């Protein structure tokens, strides 16, 4: 699927909504261990893990905005030298690793902070173990989310 392909936009929306629902469900499930018996913690935990996906995307957006002037300068220099602003080589998705490198740790850090906050509730795993559990789940969910978002949601524009 090429960038800007509208044929699979319904699939992208479905996967993105499913990803938010899965993040919410996993957050609520984790709160069952980190804060057992506290229904408000379940709702807050689920909502924060779903919102964490938006935070990860905002980190990608901020990195893109910071890198844009350098990429535009590179394109201008290439245009001045070769007459073509774009690199004629077809190198595929060689820069996707940068998105993984930014999205996964930012989502895991947000999940860690969520777990630390939920861990303050009495009767659960406690501050430290709750934060570790949320961070571990955040790493895995962040990797899966980055793969889904890069493959489907960001491809269709």
């Amino acid at each position: 699927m090429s960038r800007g392909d509208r044929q699979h936009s319904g699939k992208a929306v479905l996967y993105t909504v499913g990803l938010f629902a899965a993040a919410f469900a996993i957050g609520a499930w984790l709160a069952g261990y980190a804060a057992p018996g506290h229904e408000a913690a379940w709702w807050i935990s689920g909502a924060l893990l779903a919102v964490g996906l938006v935070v990860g995307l905002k980190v990608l957006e901020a990195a893109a905005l910071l890198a844009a002037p350098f990429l535009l300068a590179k394109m201008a220099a290439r245009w001045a030298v070769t007459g073509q602003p774009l690199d004629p080589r077809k190198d595929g998705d060689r820069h996707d690793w940068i998105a993984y490198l930014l999205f996964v740790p930012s989502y895991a850090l947000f999940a860690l902070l969520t777990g630390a906050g939920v861990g303050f509730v009495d009767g659960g795993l406690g501050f430290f173990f709750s934060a570790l559990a949320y961070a571990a789940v955040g790493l895995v969910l962040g990797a899966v989310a980055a793969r889904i978002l890069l493959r489907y949601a960001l491809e269709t524009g």
Side-chain angles (χ1 to χ4, degrees):
M1 177 168 48
S2 65
R3 297 206 186 268
D5 186 9
R6 301 285 185 226
Q7 181 180 1
H8 300 289
S9 63
K11 186 186 247 187
V13 169
L14 181 67
Y15 281 153
T16 304
V17 169
L19 186 61
F20 276 93
F24 184 87
I26 290 171
W29 173 74
L30 274 175
Y33 294 104
H38 297 285
E39 187 176 337
W42 298 349
W43 285 101
I44 291 169
S45 173
L48 283 177
L49 282 190
V51 167
L53 296 172
V54 176
V55 171
L57 288 174
K58 289 299 177 183
V59 168
L60 290 179
E61 182 182 357
L65 288 173
L66 288 173
F70 300 109
L71 294 175
L72 289 174
K74 182 179 173 183
M75 287 173 61
R78 184 179 292 129
W79 193 7
V81 172
T82 65
Q84 297 177 343
L86 299 177
D87 193 1
R89 294 176 291 160
K90 300 291 182 190
D91 53 0
D93 297 327
R94 69 179 183 161
H95 297 294
D96 282 354
W97 68 271
I98 297 171
Y100 287 115
L101 189 64
L102 292 172
F103 184 87
V104 174
S106 65
Y107 185 74
L109 178 65
F110 192 83
L112 180 132
L113 293 174
T114 300
V118 172
F120 278 117
V121 175
D122 292 334
L125 295 174
F127 171 77
F128 183 73
F129 288 119
S130 177
L132 283 180
Y134 274 78
V137 169
L139 280 174
V140 173
L141 187 59
V144 170
R147 177 70 178 156
I148 289 172
L149 289 173
L150 285 174
R151 186 165 186 195
Y152 296 107
L154 298 178
E155 290 285 328
T156 59

